[in-house]
Amino acid sequence: MNRNYWLLLSLAPAVAALSVACSSKFDTCEARRSCPGGGNAGAANAGANGESAGEAGVEDGDSDGRGGSDGKGGSNSDEGGSSGEGGAPDDSPALFGACSVKGAFACVEHAGAQRLACDGKLWQAGTTCAADQLCDSSDGTCAAIVTECASAKPGVVVCRNDKLLTCGPDLVTATEGTCEGLCKLGVCQAPTCGDEKIEKGEDCDDAAASASGACVKCKVASCGDGVVYPGHEQCDDGNKVSGDGCSATCRAEPVELALGNDVTCARSSTGLVKCWGRNDGGQLGLGDTSNRGDTANTVPSKLSAIDLGTGRKAKAISGRGSSVCALLVDGDVKCWGYNSGGQPSTGNTPNHGDEPGEMGDALTPVALGAGLKAIGVSAADTHTCVVLDGGGVKCWGSNIYGELGQESSVDALSPEKLPTIKLARPAIAVSASNYLDAGKGGYFGGSTCALLDNGNAQCWGTASFVSHGGSADIDNNGAIGNFAGEISTLPALTFSGGHAAKSIIAGSVSAAVLDDGTLRLWGTGPQLGQPDLGSTQVGLTAATLAALPAVQLGGKKVISIAVGRYHACATLEDGALKCWGDAGNYGQLGLGSTLPTDAAPKDVPSVDLGGHAAVQVATGYYHTCAILNDGTLKCWGDNSYGELGLGDTKTRGDTGGKLSADTTVDLTF
C-alpha cells in the first residue's frame, strides 16, 4: 500500500474532526476537495514558506490569529494572495508540517484536547488528552483544566472563592488577582461587614458566629459592644459601667424589688425573678416550702430563677404580702404563693408554687378578660390589682372593706368577669395594701389607690386609712367601695400647689411623690414622720389632703418612696437614703439602733451605704432592701426566715451605730 494513502486512511477519522484537517500538506486532490475554500481555512493552513496562503485567500480574515503570523496576511488583511510575499513563515504546527524534534508534541488548537506528535520530520496526529485535560500550547503537554475555567472561554475572568481568576488561552492555566471584597460572577464586590470575608478593619466576619454573638459587627464579641454573647454575657448595654442594669462584666443587675411578709424578690434587667426568705406558702415559686437565703448554700446567687414559662420574662413584680405577681413582657400576669383570699387568682388551690409542677407553663396567666392585657400590677396580702392597657383597673381577692372597688363586699377569685372600677379618668398606676396585726396573723383592713392620667388620685377601702368626703361611706360601716354609689362618687385627690403625683402607694399611711420632687404622706401611723401627732389621722379628707405640706427631707428632692407596715424610706436626689418610723427590735431603719419614733425624716441621719448612692428602696414588714448605684443590693432588718439573703438568720441594722458591712446580698442572675 502506498505510504501516503495508508496515512490518509488511518488518520481520516481524527483529521476530519480537526480544524487542521484542511492543511495544505495533503498532497492529493481528493483530500483538498474536502476542504472549504478561502478565508479561515486558507490562512490557517498556510505553508511554512508562505507560498500557498495567498492562493487560498485571506479576504475574510483570520479569526484565531494564526494565519496572519507570516507578516502581511492575518485577520485584518484585505489583499488575498499577498501573504506569501516576504512574510515570516508560519510557525504554528500543522498536520504533516515540518518538524525536527522527534517525540515533541504540539497542540492542534487553543483550548483543545487534540495533539500532534513529531516523528522527526513531520507532525503526525498524536494522542488526545484525557477527558479532564486540555493541551497546553506552551509545551504540548496535557494538563488538568483549571476547575473554575472548565465552562469558560480563554481570557474570561471568573472567581476562585473571593479572588479574581483570568483563564489562560488553553484553560489549563489562570492568572490570579485579588478582591478587597467578595468576588461574584467575575467582578469584585465592595467589602462589607457580613460578606464572610475578613477585610481591613475587621476582626471577624462569620455569619454563623454572628447569630450567636461571637462576631459582632465584624469585631470579636466583648463586653460593652452592645450585643449579647449568649453563654458568656447576660446583657450588654454598650458600656462597661455598673449600676445601670448591666454590670461592667455584662452580668444582669437587679432593677426592681418587691418585699413582703418575710420575703424578698428581685427582678433583673433581663426579666428574671428570684425570691428568698419565708416559703411556707410557696411564695418563692420554687415548687416546695423550704426557706431560702438562711444558709450559705441558699443565698440568692445559688438559687434558680423562678420558672415563669417557656420564653416568659417579667417587666414588673409586686408582692407586699405573702403572694407574688409578675407582669410579663406580653402583658400577661402570673401570681403564686398564699391563696388566702384568692389574690393569686389560681383557682381554689389553697396555695400555689409550693409543690413540684405548679410553676412554668403549668401556671396559667390570670384571666383578665377577653383580649385584655395589663400595664401594671400590685399584689397585697389578700387582694391584687392591675392597670389594664386601656387605663381601666381591676382587683380581685378578699373584699371585706370594698378593696376591689366593685361597690359590694363579695370576694372574687378572678377578675375575668369583673367590670373595670368606675374611676373618674384612666389610671396609669395602682397600689394595693392590706394591714395585719403585730402578730402577722390578724387582718383588719385594706385599701387601694389609683393614680390617674392627670396626676390626681382616687382611693377606696378601709375608711380610716383613705382620703374621702364626709358622705363617702354611704352605709356608714367603716368601708368605702363596698356599697352602691361609693366608688362612682369618690373625690379626686389633689395636692398642694396643684402639682401632679408621679407615683402612689396605698397603706395605713399612703404616699405620693409629686412632679416637683416633694413627698406627701397621709393616714395614721409612725410612717407619717410626724411624731408630735401621735395617732392623729392626717389628710383623710380631700380638702385636708390638698392642703397637706410636703414632708421635710432637708431640702432634697425625693426620687422614690417605699412604705412598710411600720416604717417608710425615701431615696433622695443626691443618692442619700433616709428611713423613719418604728424600728421595732429589728433595725429596719438601717441606723444601727432601734431609733425611737420621735424623730422627723429631716432629723433622721442617712443610712450609711458605704459611700454608694441608693437608686431604689423597698420595705417589707420588718426589713428593708436598697439597690445601689454600683448595681449591688443591700438588705437589713428582720432576718428570721433568711429574707435578707445573707446566708443566715441574723438581724442586721439594729446595733453598732450604723449599717454593718455584711449587708451586701450575694445576688447574680
Side-chain angles (χ1 to χ4, degrees):
M1 179 179 291
N2 178 279
R3 179 175 179 274
N4 284 344
Y5 182 68
W6 177 83
L7 282 170
L8 285 171
L9 289 178
S10 64
L11 294 176
V15 172
L18 301 176
S19 62
V20 295
C22 299
S23 170
S24 61
K25 292 300 180 181
F26 284 104
D27 293 331
T28 65
C29 291
E30 290 82 3
R32 292 193 180 196
R33 278 196 294 270
S34 67
C35 298
N40 203 17
N45 295 309
N49 59 6
E51 294 175 352
S52 63
E55 296 174 3
V58 293
E59 63 270 21
D60 292 335
D62 174 20
S63 63
D64 65 6
R66 286 184 178 178
S69 64
D70 57 355
K72 295 182 179 179
S75 60
N76 296 317
S77 176
D78 297 336
E79 303 174 5
S82 65
S83 62
E85 300 176 5
D90 182 4
D91 292 330
S92 299
L95 188 63
F96 303 133
C99 64
S100 60
V101 181
K102 186 176 181 178
F105 287 95
C107 301
V108 171
E109 60 183 349
H110 285 301
Q114 184 61 49
R115 300 194 300 168
L116 299 176
C118 182
D119 63 3
K121 294 182 180 180
L122 300 175
W123 288 109
Q124 305 292 341
T127 57
T128 301
C129 295
D132 58 347
Q133 296 180 329
L134 292 175
C135 183
D136 187 341
S137 299
S138 65
D139 57 12
T141 60
C142 287
I145 302 172
V146 176
T147 302
E148 294 82 0
C149 296
S151 59
K153 294 182 180 181
V156 169
V157 180
V158 295
C159 293
R160 173 179 285 170
N161 297 324
D162 59 352
K163 296 181 179 179
L164 289 174
L165 204 65
T166 303
C167 298
D170 300 308
L171 305 183
V172 297
T173 60
T175 303
E176 191 174 87
T178 59
C179 284
E180 289 188 8
L182 291 182
C183 183
K184 293 183 179 179
L185 300 176
V187 178
C188 286
Q189 309 296 311
T192 59
C193 180
D195 59 13
E196 300 185 40
K197 177 184 178 183
I198 300 176
E199 293 140 348
K200 184 178 180 180
E202 297 179 345
D203 297 334
C204 54
D205 199 323
D206 185 342
S210 294
S212 67
C215 186
V216 179
K217 298 178 182 178
C218 291
K219 297 290 184 181
V220 175
S222 61
C223 181
D225 59 19
V227 180
V228 177
Y229 184 4
H232 296 264
E233 300 174 341
Q234 292 182 330
C235 57
D236 198 320
D237 57 359
N239 63 55
K240 291 187 177 182
V241 177
S242 295
D244 57 359
C246 187
S247 75
T249 57
C250 287
R251 305 290 296 181
E253 296 174 332
V255 293
E256 185 181 17
L257 300 173
L259 273 59
N261 294 342
D262 313 313
V263 63
T264 301
C265 295
R267 177 177 65 87
S268 75
S269 57
T270 54
L272 301 180
V273 179
K274 285 189 175 186
C275 297
W276 55 93
R278 189 171 184 169
N279 194 33
D280 54 341
Q283 52 266 55
L284 304 188
L286 297 175
D288 58 40
T289 56
S290 298
N291 299 337
R292 303 294 200 284
D294 55 345
T295 62
N297 61 353
T298 63
V299 294
S301 64
K302 297 184 178 181
L303 300 180
S304 298
I306 294 174
D307 185 359
L308 298 174
T310 304
R312 299 282 206 160
K313 302 294 183 183
K315 66 177 180 181
I317 55 174
S318 180
R320 301 185 71 189
S322 297
S323 62
V324 181
C325 291
L327 171 62
L328 305 184
V329 171
D330 64 355
D332 283 343
V333 174
K334 287 191 174 188
C335 303
W336 59 93
Y338 267 105
N339 196 17
S340 55
Q343 67 273 19
S345 192
T346 53
N348 294 321
T349 302
N351 300 318
H352 213 85
D354 58 342
E355 294 183 5
E358 292 184 340
M359 299 297 290
D361 294 331
L363 180 62
T364 58
V366 176
L368 300 175
L372 297 179
K373 296 291 184 178
I375 60 172
V377 63
S378 180
D381 216 330
T382 62
H383 76 291
T384 301
C385 299
V386 294
V387 180
L388 302 175
D389 53 7
V393 173
K394 285 189 176 187
C395 301
W396 63 94
S398 178
N399 195 29
I400 297 174
Y401 290 87
E403 301 97 314
L404 306 189
Q406 293 296 320
E407 297 187 334
S408 78
S409 58
V410 178
D411 295 346
L413 295 177
S414 169
E416 183 175 14
K417 297 182 179 179
L418 294 178
T420 57
I421 297 171
K422 302 173 184 177
L423 299 176
R425 297 181 61 86
I428 58 175
V430 67
S431 178
S433 178
N434 300 121
Y435 321 117
L436 305 177
D437 64 16
K440 305 181 188 179
Y443 172 70
F444 68 94
S447 66
T448 306
C449 287
L451 176 60
L452 307 183
D453 62 357
N454 63 351
N456 293 340
Q458 289 184 295
C459 301
W460 57 95
T462 304
S464 58
F465 296 126
V466 298
S467 295
H468 57 278
S471 59
D473 184 4
I474 296 175
D475 59 349
N476 198 31
N477 69 344
I480 299 172
N482 68 340
F483 192 79
E486 290 183 344
I487 294 294
S488 56
T489 58
L490 281 177
L493 304 180
T494 59
F495 305 95
S496 60
H499 291 288
K502 293 300 182 181
S503 65
I504 196 163
I505 296 176
S508 56
V509 169
S510 296
V513 177
L514 307 187
D515 57 8
D516 62 349
T518 59
L519 173 66
R520 301 295 188 275
L521 295 170
W522 66 96
T524 305
Q527 312 95 305
L528 286 172
Q530 300 186 50
D532 55 317
L533 294 180
S535 59
T536 303
Q537 295 178 338
V538 175
L540 292 188
T541 67
T544 56
L545 177 61
L548 196 66
V551 176
Q552 295 302 306
L553 286 163
K556 303 295 184 181
K557 291 183 178 180
V558 176
I559 302 302
S560 66
I561 179 68
V563 181
R565 179 64 183 92
Y566 294 107
H567 73 295
C569 297
T571 62
L572 307 181
E573 61 182 335
D574 60 356
L577 173 64
K578 287 201 171 191
C579 297
W580 60 91
D582 187 355
N585 296 317
Y586 303 104
Q588 63 262 37
L589 302 187
L591 300 176
S593 68
T594 54
L595 184 75
T597 58
D598 58 354
K602 66 181 180 63
D603 299 320
V604 174
S606 298
V607 178
D608 184 356
L609 298 175
H612 294 291
V615 295
Q616 187 182 140
V617 65
T619 53
Y621 207 90
Y622 286 124
H623 74 295
T624 306
C625 293
I627 299 174
L628 308 186
N629 63 346
D630 64 349
T632 59
L633 174 65
K634 281 184 173 288
C635 293
W636 57 91
D638 188 14
N639 195 28
S640 301
Y641 299 91
E643 57 263 47
L644 301 187
L646 300 174
D648 56 37
T649 56
K650 178 185 174 182
T651 299
R652 305 296 200 283
D654 58 336
T655 61
K658 66 177 183 178
L659 196 62
S660 58
D662 64 341
T663 54
T664 299
V665 181
D666 182 4
L667 172 62
T668 55
F669 290 93

